Amino acid sequence: METIIKNQSKNNLLFAFAVVLLIAFNGCSRLAPSFSGIYVNSAGSEASVAYDTLIVKQVNGENYNIHRKTRFSLIDDKGNTRKPQYETEEWTAVYDPQTAIMTERRNGKLITFDIEKGIMTVSKRKYQRIK
């Protein structure tokens, strides 16, 4: 009888440990996903072509820096692409886990993420994660 009680106590302890592990792993999966990475977008029209690269880096907590690099070329009336031009911007943004939206601080651009598809959306423009 004493052996049965000891075995049940061990089983109860193992069960309790398993439950604690499940709770811990479940809690970890609810942490904010990492948005850091490199995202790209290209767009074109009859007037120009443009390539955007956004480099997202977590600064601390919910705060992020976003470095935007843009290369664009105007297209003349004959359809020739002119010499490329380059622009860069530095953004700061904060992620709100309640709404799952990141907001760029200077202009208020709303940024969302589809982590599974690797897509970052800034306003209406979609960027594909490459790294």
Side-chain angles (χ1 to χ4, degrees):
M1 181 75 161
E2 193 174 315
T3 304
I4 294 173
I5 293 174
K6 285 183 182 178
N7 285 339
Q8 283 181 335
S9 294
K10 285 181 185 177
N11 288 340
N12 289 343
L13 184 60
L14 286 173
F15 178 77
F17 182 72
V19 169
V20 168
L21 282 177
L22 284 172
I23 291 170
F25 284 125
N26 189 33
C28 290
S29 68
R30 291 184 186 171
L31 293 176
S34 174
F35 303 118
S36 296
I38 300 173
Y39 300 81
V40 295
N41 170 282
S42 62
S45 69
E46 56 190 44
S48 67
V49 292
Y51 304 92
D52 268 348
T53 301
L54 299 179
I55 302 168
V56 180
K57 292 184 180 177
Q58 185 175 18
V59 177
N60 59 45
E62 308 300 344
N63 297 301
Y64 290 81
N65 283 339
I66 302 173
H67 182 75
R68 181 181 184 198
K69 297 179 183 182
T70 303
R71 181 184 88 193
F72 65 95
S73 299
L74 299 176
I75 300 172
D76 65 21
D77 293 339
K78 295 179 183 176
N80 298 320
T81 303
R82 298 206 177 180
K83 183 179 176 183
Q85 299 177 49
Y86 300 89
E87 292 181 353
T88 61
E89 292 180 311
E90 295 293 330
W91 302 347
T92 58
V94 63
Y95 177 71
D96 181 353
Q98 298 294 326
T99 62
I101 295 174
M102 188 179 289
T103 304
E104 185 269 335
R105 291 184 177 164
R106 185 176 24 171
N107 297 313
K109 294 177 185 175
L110 300 180
I111 303 167
T112 59
F113 294 86
D114 184 334
I115 298 298
E116 290 179 12
K117 294 181 181 176
I119 294 175
M120 172 184 184
T121 304
V122 180
S123 299
K124 293 182 181 179
R125 184 172 287 182
K126 295 191 183 301
Y127 293 80
Q128 182 64 54
R129 186 176 185 157
I130 61 169
K131 183 175 179 186

